[in-house]
Amino acid sequence: MISFGRRRQYVGAVPTDHRGDSSSFENSITDNRTRGSNNVYSPRGSSSSQQTKGKMLFEALLNLTCPERGSSGDSKYHPSPNHKNKTIRTYLLVAAFCGFVILSNFHRSNASQEEVKVPTPSKSSNQSNVQQQQQKSTELRESESSKSETKSQESSTPIKLPAAHQEMPVQAPQQLDTGVTTGKFLVDENDYIYKRDLFRFDAAPIILPEYKLVFFSIPKVACTTFKFLFRRIMGIKDWKNQDFKLILPHNPKYNNLKYLWDYSLEEANEMMTSPEWTRAIFVREPKNRLLSAFLDKAIGNDGWHVLKRCCHPVIECRGIDTTHKDISKLLEVCHLDAWDSRRNVIVPQWNLDIPCCKEAKECRETFETFEGFMETIKICHDEHWDPQSHRMEAKYWKYINFVGHMESMKNDTRRLLEKIGAWDKWGATGWGPHGNSSIVDQSEFSQSHTTGSSSKIYQWYTPERERLVEAFYAIDYNNPLFNFERTNLTEPYEPLPDGEFIKRDDRVYSKGDWDGSPIVVEKYKLIFFTVPKIGATKWKQAFRRMMGLPNWREIGGKLGLPHNPWTNGLKYLYDYPIEEAEVMFKSGEWTKAIFIRSPKDRFLSVYTEMSRDPEQVDRRCCPHDPGCSTALRTIAGLLEIAETCYSTHWAPITDRMEEKYWPYINFVGSLENAEADSQKLLERIGAWDEIGRSGWGENGGDHFFARDENAFNSVLHSLSLYNPAVDKQLDEFYKVDFESNYFTFASNRVYAMEH
C-alpha cells in the first residue's frame, strides 16, 4: 500500500474527496489544481479512511494498465503473455502519479494567495490560525528560495583553489578597519583559512578565546612546539603526546584545539578584524626553511612525503595495485637503503620486480637532488614548502598585528606570550623532561631539531642554488611584514678565513665524519668528543635528552639515530662561527671531555661488529671493488685493513683530534669505570639530577651507565680468535695511545680477560 500522508502538513496529502474509481482519476488531479483556498488538508499522518482512498487510487491504476486483472475487487489475477511489459508500465505510471501529486501539492502550498483551512471552534481563532499558516508558508518559500539561490551559486561559481595555489599580491600593513564594508563579512565561508578541511592541518588558524589569540601555524616554523603549548593551555592532559598514528599534535581531528572554522562567520569576522584580538604568525628565512623541507620531506624517510604528494605515476600505480596502498609500506619493500654510517654515503637498492617500485625509483631520482627538488615544488604545492605569503588570502595580511621570526624565536615567543598575558602561567615553566624549563629552552626553538637544517645551510648552498631559492620565494622576500633580507651565504667566492687557533680543515671543525666534530651542549657549557665503541650511543642519547627531544631513546631506523648529525638534533662545533668556536674551546668555563677505553678491548669489540656486518667494511674501505671484507675471517685480517683504511671505529684515540687541542681537554673518563666517571662529569656540569640520576634502563629506574653484566660480551665473543701474534700487532697499532701524555691505561692487556 502507498501512503500519501507522510509529508509535512503544508505540503499536503490526497484531498479528502478523492473517489476511488478509475473515471475520477484525472478529475481528482484537476480538482487539486483548481480548488484553491477551499481545499481542506488532513493533518500530518493520514487517517485510515485516507489510506483506504489511496489504496483505491492504486487499484484504479492497476485496472487501467492491466484490464485482464479484472475488477478492483477481484482477487484473481490471470496474467497474459505480455504481462511482464505491462507490469513494468504499471510501476512507471504509479511512480509518475505519485510524483505528479506531490509536485502539484508542493506548488499549491507555495502559492502566494493560498489559504489553509483548519477546523476551529470560532471565527477569531480560525483567522489567527490562518495567519500563522500563511506566515509559515512565507517562511518556507523564503527558505526554499534561499537554498535554491545558494545551490545555483555553488553550481555556477568555479571551485576556489586553496591560497597556496594562487599568486597573491602582498599588502603593506594598514590601519585596521571594521572588516564589513558592503554589508558582507570579511571572512567568507569558502576562504582557505575558514573552510573546514581536516586534511590540511595548517589551513585554518588556531584560536585561543581566553587570550584572544588567532595563531597562524606554518610547517617547518616550530609549529609542533606551539601546538604543544596551545594544547596545554586548553587543559589537555596528554598535551605533550606526539602520537604518530593519530598524527598528534597536528591532526585537527584529534588534537582538541579550536580553529577558526569552529566559529560562526560573525564570530570569525570579529576575531580577524577586532583590535582587541592578537593575530600572530611566525615566519622563517626562506633558504633555511626550504632546506629543512628538503632534508625532512625529500631525503628523510626515503622521501615518502614527496612521493605521496607529487609523484603521479606512483599515485596512479597505487590505484591499480592495491597490494601496498600505504606509500611508506610500499617503500619498505621497494627501497632498501644501505648506508655507511661514518661516511654518510647511501647505497640504494631497489626491488624493481615489485609493482610500483619502478615508478617510485624513477620519481625519487627526480627530487633527491636539490635542483630536482626545486623543479618538483614548482608544480607540486604543499604547505611545507609553499611561500609563506600564501599562508592566507591577501586580504587578511593587513590585519596581522604580530610577526615573529624563527631566527629570533626565543625572544619573539616570550614577547608574544607576554603580550597576551600567558607567559608566567604557560611559558615560563612546565617544560623539559622534568617540567622545570621554559618553552624557549625547547630544542625546536634552536632551529636544529629533526633536520638540523640551520647547521647544514652553508654545507648545501651554492651561489647558483641561492639564486634559485630567491627567485622562487620572491613574494616572501618582498613581503614588508616579513622583513627578510637577501643574504649571500656563499659569497664572496673565496674560501672563508681560518681562525687564529681553529682551522676549517681541522678534524674538530669538519663535517665529513659523524664522530669528527665534538658535540656542543650550550646549556651546560660542555664540549664532548664522542668515540665509537666507547659509549658513544649512550652519550648521544643523554645529549638528546638534555635537548628535550621526545624520541631521545630511539636507536637505528631510517634516521640513523642517535648518530646521524642530519637528524639527531644535536649541535656540533662546526655549527658555530669559527671565532665563537675558538672562544668556547679555550675558555676555562667550558668543560672539554672525552672517554677512553682499553685499545685492545675496543678493537675486539669493533671486530665483533664488523664480522657480523661485513658490508660495512666493503662500503667503507673498498666501495668500488667490494670483497675486502673477506679478510674478516681473522682479527689479523681486520688489522691489515685498518692499516690503510681510516675509520673512527678503530683509529687510535690520540687521532681523535689534532695534537694542539689535547692540552685543552680538562676531563678524561674511561669506559671501564664508566659508572663513576659519568656521574663525576654530569655532576661537574650540573646535569646529574636532571639527566643522570634516573630515567635509564628498560623501566626507567636505573641511573646513567648503571653496571651492565653484558657490557663486555662483544669482546669475549672475539677472544676465541685472539692469539699472541694479534696481541703484538695491536701493541704496535695502538702504540701512540699507550704512550700518550694526556691519558693512561692501567695495563696494555685486554681488560675483559683480567676482569
Side-chain angles (χ1 to χ4, degrees):
M1 179 184 295
I2 299 177
S3 172
F4 298 99
R6 296 180 180 247
R7 301 286 296 174
R8 296 187 65 179
Q9 180 176 347
Y10 49 75
V11 174
V14 177
T16 56
D17 59 352
H18 269 181
R19 296 175 296 277
D21 60 315
S22 60
S23 62
S24 64
F25 173 65
E26 292 183 3
N27 291 334
S28 67
I29 298 177
T30 304
D31 288 344
N32 278 337
R33 294 196 301 266
T34 59
R35 286 176 185 171
S37 61
N38 294 325
N39 225 357
V40 180
Y41 290 84
S42 301
R44 185 176 182 178
S46 300
S47 65
S48 59
S49 62
Q50 186 177 359
Q51 293 178 357
T52 302
K53 292 175 181 177
K55 180 180 179 181
M56 294 172 64
L57 281 172
F58 184 77
E59 295 286 346
L61 280 171
L62 291 180
N63 290 337
L64 284 171
T65 55
C66 301
E68 69 272 27
R69 181 179 181 274
S71 64
S72 60
D74 187 1
S75 61
K76 295 181 180 180
Y77 175 36
H78 307 286
S80 67
N82 296 324
H83 89 281
K84 184 175 182 180
N85 292 335
K86 292 183 178 180
T87 300
I88 295 173
R89 182 176 60 188
T90 299
Y91 288 115
L92 290 174
L93 284 173
V94 170
F97 164 70
C98 295
F100 191 89
V101 170
I102 291 172
L103 287 173
S104 64
N105 287 331
F106 175 80
H107 288 300
R108 182 171 57 256
S109 68
N110 285 337
S112 60
Q113 302 299 325
E114 181 182 43
E115 295 181 1
V116 182
K117 283 189 177 182
V118 180
T120 57
S122 65
K123 182 177 181 180
S124 60
S125 63
N126 182 52
Q127 290 175 347
S128 175
N129 288 335
V130 168
Q131 290 174 356
Q132 292 177 6
Q133 292 287 351
Q134 288 175 337
Q135 184 178 356
K136 288 181 180 179
S137 180
T138 302
E139 291 174 353
L140 174 67
R141 289 195 302 274
E142 291 175 353
S143 174
E144 295 295 335
S145 174
S146 174
K147 290 179 181 178
S148 177
E149 249 180 56
T150 302
K151 189 172 182 180
S152 175
Q153 290 175 0
E154 290 177 351
S155 61
S156 61
T157 304
I159 297 175
K160 187 175 181 115
L161 291 174
H165 292 251
Q166 305 173 28
E167 193 68 24
M168 302 180 300
V170 178
Q171 301 182 24
Q174 302 174 17
Q175 185 177 358
L176 295 179
D177 56 35
T178 61
V180 187
T181 55
T182 59
K184 295 183 179 180
F185 293 130
L186 172 74
V187 181
D188 185 82
E189 61 183 5
N190 290 318
D191 283 351
Y192 178 72
I193 70 167
Y194 186 75
K195 189 174 183 179
R196 183 181 293 269
D197 187 348
L198 296 178
F199 294 100
R200 290 192 176 273
F201 295 170
D202 294 282
I206 297 169
I207 307 297
L208 289 182
E210 180 182 355
Y211 293 97
K212 291 192 174 181
L213 174 66
V214 180
F215 189 90
F216 289 85
S217 57
I218 295 181
K220 315 310 299 177
V221 190
C223 64
T224 300
T225 298
F226 277 119
K227 288 172 185 175
F228 283 155
L229 169 66
F230 301 145
R231 279 164 54 82
R232 184 185 177 199
I233 292 176
M234 295 293 288
I236 299 168
K237 292 183 179 180
D238 64 339
W239 59 273
K240 288 192 292 186
N241 183 17
Q242 200 165 5
D243 190 313
F244 293 101
K245 184 177 181 180
L246 300 180
I247 322 180
L248 288 176
H250 302 289
N251 193 339
K253 188 175 180 181
Y254 301 108
N255 64 15
N256 294 319
L257 294 176
K258 287 285 187 180
Y259 290 82
L260 192 65
W261 62 43
D262 291 317
Y263 297 87
S264 67
L265 280 172
E266 183 177 3
E267 292 171 318
N269 189 76
E270 171 74 11
M271 296 171 182
M272 288 302 301
T273 60
S274 171
E276 297 180 0
W277 281 73
T278 299
R279 290 166 289 278
I281 189 169
F282 275 70
V283 295
R284 187 177 187 180
E285 204 286 324
K287 293 174 186 177
N288 217 328
R289 178 170 174 263
L290 178 70
L291 183 57
S292 178
F294 171 66
L295 295 177
D296 185 24
K297 304 303 178 185
I299 300 299
N301 295 313
D302 285 334
W304 71 268
H305 183 88
V306 182
L307 281 173
K308 178 181 67 174
R309 296 300 299 269
C310 307
C311 191
H312 295 291
V314 173
I315 296 171
E316 293 172 0
C317 179
R318 288 171 62 214
I320 299 172
D321 173 47
T322 58
T323 308
H324 303 290
K325 281 206 168 183
D326 183 355
I327 197 87
S328 60
K329 293 181 179 178
L330 172 67
L331 288 175
E332 285 180 6
V333 296
C334 287
H335 187 202
L336 304 177
D337 273 348
W339 65 39
D340 182 346
S341 63
R342 303 304 158 186
R343 286 192 311 155
N344 217 11
V345 175
I346 297 176
V347 183
Q349 298 175 349
W350 289 87
N351 296 328
L352 299 181
D353 295 333
I354 297 177
C356 304
C357 290
K358 180 181 178 182
E359 291 81 358
K361 176 179 182 293
E362 293 174 351
C363 193
R364 191 176 189 277
E365 289 173 349
T366 64
F367 63 75
E368 64 184 359
T369 65
F370 192 89
E371 287 75 13
F373 180 68
M374 288 295 301
E375 289 299 315
T376 299
I377 65 177
K378 289 179 181 178
I379 57 175
C380 178
H381 296 283
D382 185 272
E383 57 269 21
H384 288 85
W385 53 73
D386 281 338
Q388 294 162 94
S389 295
H390 290 176
R391 177 62 182 83
M392 64 190 82
E393 285 83 357
K395 63 183 178 180
Y396 293 115
W397 280 111
K398 65 180 180 179
Y399 297 101
I400 299 299
N401 50 19
F402 186 98
V403 178
H405 290 80
M406 185 79 170
E407 292 69 27
S408 55
M409 181 64 72
K410 294 184 177 182
N411 293 335
D412 289 349
T413 300
R414 178 164 185 165
R415 187 163 56 90
L416 172 63
L417 295 182
E418 287 178 342
K419 174 182 172 68
I420 65 174
W423 170 256
D424 291 338
K425 186 174 182 180
W426 305 111
T429 187
W431 297 83
H434 300 282
N436 56 358
S437 301
S438 72
I439 185 174
V440 298
D441 292 325
Q442 301 312 293
S443 61
E444 190 170 16
F445 284 6
S446 70
Q447 294 195 67
S448 62
H449 76 292
T450 308
T451 62
S453 60
S454 63
S455 65
K456 310 295 187 301
I457 197 166
Y458 300 100
Q459 175 184 351
W460 278 92
Y461 275 111
T462 64
E464 294 75 19
R465 289 175 176 179
E466 285 194 76
R467 304 295 85 79
L468 287 174
V469 176
E470 289 170 358
F472 184 78
Y473 289 109
I475 190 173
D476 284 350
Y477 282 110
N478 295 331
N479 190 326
L481 281 175
F482 297 169
N483 197 28
F484 291 140
E485 294 182 2
R486 288 177 172 86
T487 56
N488 295 319
L489 303 176
T490 51
E491 295 177 352
Y493 296 102
E494 61 269 12
L496 294 172
D498 290 326
E500 294 181 2
F501 177 62
I502 298 178
K503 308 302 179 185
R504 296 188 181 277
D505 292 335
D506 285 352
R507 197 170 300 138
V508 302
Y509 206 72
S510 171
K511 301 180 176 69
D513 200 296
W514 286 10
D515 291 287
S517 186
I519 294 169
V520 178
V521 184
E522 285 186 67
K523 181 178 179 181
Y524 297 106
K525 291 190 174 182
L526 172 67
I527 297 175
F528 191 95
F529 287 83
T530 54
V531 180
K533 314 311 294 181
I534 308 182
T537 299
K538 185 160 287 189
W539 276 112
K540 289 174 184 176
Q541 286 180 312
F543 300 144
R544 298 186 77 237
R545 187 180 177 189
M546 291 178 186
M547 300 289 287
L549 297 173
N551 61 338
W552 63 268
R553 293 178 180 274
E554 188 171 338
I555 296 177
K558 293 291 185 181
L559 299 180
L561 295 177
H563 300 288
N564 191 343
W566 287 17
T567 59
N568 64 16
L570 298 176
K571 298 193 76 172
Y572 291 79
L573 193 65
Y574 55 63
D575 289 323
Y576 296 85
I578 200 164
E579 297 82 4
E580 188 176 346
E582 286 184 337
V583 172
M584 292 189 298
F585 208 94
K586 288 186 173 183
S587 172
E589 297 180 357
W590 282 71
T591 298
K592 281 79 66 175
I594 190 171
F595 270 61
I596 63 173
R597 182 182 186 180
S598 166
K600 295 178 180 178
D601 287 74
R602 176 166 164 253
F603 191 86
L604 291 176
S605 179
V606 170
Y607 177 76
T608 298
E609 179 184 339
M610 298 301 164
S611 61
R612 290 172 176 171
D613 185 13
E615 290 185 2
Q616 288 191 62
V617 175
D618 284 336
R619 291 194 301 267
R620 180 73 184 184
C621 301
C622 51
H624 303 296
D625 186 21
C628 59
S629 60
T630 56
L632 294 176
R633 287 190 290 265
T634 64
I635 299 175
L638 179 59
L639 264 171
E640 184 179 349
I641 293 173
E643 292 286 352
T644 57
C645 177
Y646 177 85
S647 170
T648 52
H649 271 83
W650 52 68
I653 300 173
T654 304
D655 291 346
R656 179 63 182 81
M657 65 191 84
E658 287 79 5
E659 172 70 21
K660 64 182 178 180
Y661 295 105
W662 276 105
Y664 293 94
I665 300 299
N666 51 19
F667 186 96
V668 177
S670 70
L671 187 67
E672 289 77 13
N673 195 35
E675 186 174 12
D677 287 351
S678 62
Q679 182 173 346
K680 288 179 184 178
L681 175 59
L682 293 178
E683 287 177 342
R684 171 178 174 145
I685 65 175
W688 173 253
D689 290 335
E690 181 179 355
I691 302 299
R693 188 176 296 278
S694 63
W696 299 89
E698 293 183 2
N699 301 319
D702 293 338
H703 56 265
F704 189 51
F705 268 113
R707 184 172 297 277
D708 183 0
E709 299 297 333
N710 301 316
F712 297 101
N713 281 355
S714 61
V715 178
L716 298 175
H717 183 272
S718 301
L719 284 179
S720 60
L721 299 176
Y722 199 74
N723 55 56
V726 170
D727 187 75
K728 186 176 180 180
Q729 284 180 287
L730 288 175
D731 282 334
E732 184 64 27
F733 188 79
Y734 288 112
K735 182 178 180 180
V736 290
D737 282 351
F738 288 122
E739 297 178 355
S740 173
N741 295 323
Y742 305 108
F743 49 82
T744 59
F745 301 102
S747 152
N748 65 346
R749 301 182 62 185
V750 177
Y751 179 86
M753 294 177 66
E754 296 180 335
H755 298 81

